[in-house]
Each structure stands twice: as structure tokens, then as C-alpha cells.
Amino acid sequence: MNAVFGVIFHFIGGFASGSFYVPYKKVKGWSWESMWILGGLFSWIIVPPIAAMLTIPNFIEIIKSANNTILGYTFLFGLLWGIGGLTYGLGVRYLGVSLGSSIILGLSMVFGSLMPSIYYFFNKAEGKHGIDYFFTTQSGICILLGLLVCVLGVYLCGKAGVSKEKHITSLSTASKSDYNFGLGIVVAIVSGILSACFNFGIEAGKPMADVANTLWKSVNPNQGEFLYQNNVTYIVILWGGFTTNFLWCLYLLIKNKTFSDYTKSKAPRGKNFLLCALAGTTWYLQFFFYGMGESRLGNGASSWILHMAFIILISNAWGVVLKEWKGVDRSTYRSIIGGILTIIISICIVGFAKTLEN
């Protein structure tokens, strides 16, 4: 049952992440940097401490008691991930929700799932799998197969994006606004690699989550692992992410003189504010539920792969719903649908792999 609940929690988290950018697309009269940093305040600064306070009342003491090395590495990976998150927004802007998310998250899935296992191959740690796990055990081989199938799904989605560019002249004005495949693909590659640093940050901050887990178990014996243990780690990771995004958006607000967006009488300020708050809060929920899924499946490759696969799946589904592929030929449309179906198959394979461990 742990595997089943783990997959369900990862689906909810993936749905939140795959959907968070949709409210941003409804913001009117504001620049990208104006809406991104406002939503980010909710994502990185406002909502995470509230979630931690509700689930781990002593989270501040846990952070204070952590040594500087743990805090430093957790913050550093958050800083690097923040660059990935920042360029994620630009990638989605230039490539669209479905294609941008597919490429970025596909790369993040590969790097985030395999790099920690390479590290633990050379630095053994209890409960952590080395890269050899994927070639010497039934579960590991199955997880690796699921990863490869998901990469195939990402390839099909990317192929559809290339084909879409060829048919861009037949797309609606809304579909082709801001679309720039050349610039978008460069941004997406940078974002995909650095976005994997969030998983590295979870690994670096694991001692803090372990403290929360131990304290909870002492009060709730024989009830399994603490579902919300990672909420304390997210605080430090997201401080790093906020730092990167705040500095960049502040630069753009000054450079483009877009501070005035917040006082524009013609812009629906109240509606825009609520949309940004909704987007930011929805974004954070992905990791709230990721932590719950990870507590059931373990912070290994399978959790990260499932999380990324569900985000890619939902993002592409939104791309279809939002008619980002309207006007393309049947071959292109078949590619995007084929990519979605392939990713669904990969999710089933990774989910099944966890049952082999038991």
C-alpha cells in the first residue's frame, strides 16, 4: 500500500506543478517579471513557513540546530535550482506549457534521479542506492526501464514541438505569441540541468528531515514514516531559490521600468494579484505532496522520476486543453498524444518497480 499511496501523492504534486503556470497566462497588463516575483513570494517565502508551522511546530528550532555545512549546501543547491526555476518560466514562455515543460523536466528527471546515485556509489550511506543498483537488482532495472521509456515520451513531445515550429504560420495569434524555439531550447537545457538541484537540496537537507521524522515517531510510535518531514528542508532550499529569482526580477523591474505595473489603473490589479497568489501557492503544493510521496517511496530515483513524469504528463495535457497545438497537422498532434501515452506507461513501470523491492 505504501507504493500505491506514494504514487497517488506524487500524482497530486505533479498535477499542482503541471498546472501552476496556467493562472499566470490569465494575468493581464503586467510584465513577466512583475507577475513572476509576486507569485514567487507566495511560492518561496509566504506559504512554505505556514505549511511547516502547521505540520512541524518546532521547525525553527530544527533549522537553528542544523550545522552550517548542512544549511550551506542545502541553500547552495536551492540557489542553483532557483536559476533553473527562473529559466523554467522563460522556457515555458518561449516554448509553451507542454513543450517547454517536457524538455526542461525531462532533463531534470534524468539528472535528478541518476546523479545522487553516482554520488552514493562512491560515498556509501545507509538507505541510499548507488548507480549499480540500477543494473544489479530487479527493481533497479525496472526503474531504469521506466526512466528510458519516459525519455522516449519526452522525445516524442520534443519532436512535436519542432514540427509545431514548421507550422507556426497556421497557428492562432495567441498560440504563436512569444514562441521562439531557438532561444527557448537553450533556456530549456540550462533550466533542465539546474532544476535537478532541488533533489540534491533535499538530499543535502535530509538530516533536518530526519530530526523531524524522529521527533514525530517518538510521539507516534509504530505509525510508519512522518508524511511531512521534508517541509522543514524546503524552507532552506526555497530561501536559495528566492534569492536568485528576486535579484533577477529586481534587475528586470529596474531595467524595464515595470515597477509601475502594480499601480496601472488599466490593469485588473486585484484579479492579477489573486492569480499570482494562486499560481505561487499551487506551485508550492507540488513539493508538499512530493514530500508525502517520498515518505512512502523513499528519497530515491523512483520518487524523483514519478514526480517529474507526472508534471510532464499534466503539462502536456494542459497544452492540449489550452489549444497550444491548434492548427498543427495530424502527424504533429499524434506525436504529442503519443508522448503523453508513453509517459503514462513509464509511470506505471516505475510504480511497479517499487513493488519488486518488497
Side-chain angles (χ1 to χ4, degrees), residues 81-127:
W81 162 80
I83 299 175
L86 176 65
T87 48
Y88 178 92
L90 292 174
V92 170
R93 176 184 178 184
Y94 294 130
L95 296 177
V97 173
S98 57
L99 178 59
S101 296
S102 295
I103 296 174
I104 294 169
L105 298 175
L107 288 169
S108 179
M109 177 180 59
V110 173
F111 279 90
S113 61
L114 296 184
M115 290 303 291
S117 65
I118 295 175
Y119 172 82
Y120 286 118
F121 178 77
F122 295 102
N123 301 273
K124 305 297 182 183
E126 185 178 354

Side-chain angles (χ1 to χ4, degrees), residues 120-194:
Y120 286 118
F121 178 77
F122 295 102
N123 301 273
K124 305 297 182 183
E126 185 178 354
K128 301 297 182 182
H129 298 306
I131 192 68
D132 56 323
Y133 170 79
F134 298 104
F135 303 97
T136 58
T137 66
Q138 284 186 327
S139 179
I141 292 171
C142 196
I143 291 173
L144 187 60
L145 176 62
L147 175 62
L148 294 175
V149 171
C150 196
V151 170
L152 174 60
V154 173
Y155 165 76
L156 291 173
C157 294
K159 179 181 178 182
V162 174
S163 181
K164 174 183 176 179
E165 184 182 30
K166 294 178 180 178
H167 296 85
I168 195 71
T169 54
S170 65
L171 299 179
S172 64
T173 302
S175 297
K176 63 183 179 181
S177 61
D178 287 333
Y179 186 79
N180 187 324
F181 184 80
L183 178 59
I185 197 67
V186 174
V187 171
I189 291 172
V190 172
S191 178
I193 294 174
L194 293 182

Side-chain angles (χ1 to χ4, degrees), residues 1-11 296-297 351 354-355:
M1 288 301 293
N2 276 343
V4 173
F5 281 113
V7 172
I8 292 173
F9 290 143
H10 282 308
F11 169 76
R296 290 293 178 260
L297 297 178
K354 292 305 295 181
T355 67

Side-chain angles (χ1 to χ4, degrees), residues 258-329:
T258 45
F259 274 111
S260 59
D261 284 352
Y262 301 119
T263 58
K264 277 184 180 179
S265 58
K266 294 182 179 180
R269 287 172 292 183
K271 182 180 179 182
N272 283 356
F273 179 86
L274 290 175
L275 286 169
C276 290
L278 175 61
T281 303
T282 301
W283 181 94
Y284 173 75
L285 289 177
Q286 68 168 309
F287 290 115
F288 184 86
F289 285 101
Y290 175 86
M292 295 172 68
E294 183 264 355
S295 71
R296 290 293 178 260
L297 297 178
N299 187 27
S302 56
S303 277
W304 191 251
I305 292 169
L306 282 173
H307 183 65
M308 293 292 108
F310 275 126
I311 297 174
I312 296 168
L313 175 65
I314 299 301
S315 298
N316 278 292
W318 274 117
V320 174
V321 171
L322 295 174
K323 299 181 179 180
E324 291 184 347
W325 303 94
K326 183 179 180 181
V328 300
D329 61 6

Side-chain angles (χ1 to χ4, degrees), residues 52 55-56 198 201-203 205-210 212-213 226-237 284 287-295 298-299:
T55 55
I56 311 174
F198 198 99
I202 293 175
E203 293 279 359
K206 192 63 177 173
M208 291 185 286
D210 288 339
N213 192 33
F226 184 32
L227 278 175
Y228 309 109
Q229 58 184 276
N230 281 324
N231 286 353
V232 64
T233 308
Y234 295 155
I235 300 291
V236 182
I237 297 175
Y284 173 75
F287 290 115
F288 184 86
F289 285 101
Y290 175 86
M292 295 172 68
E294 183 264 355
S295 71
N299 187 27

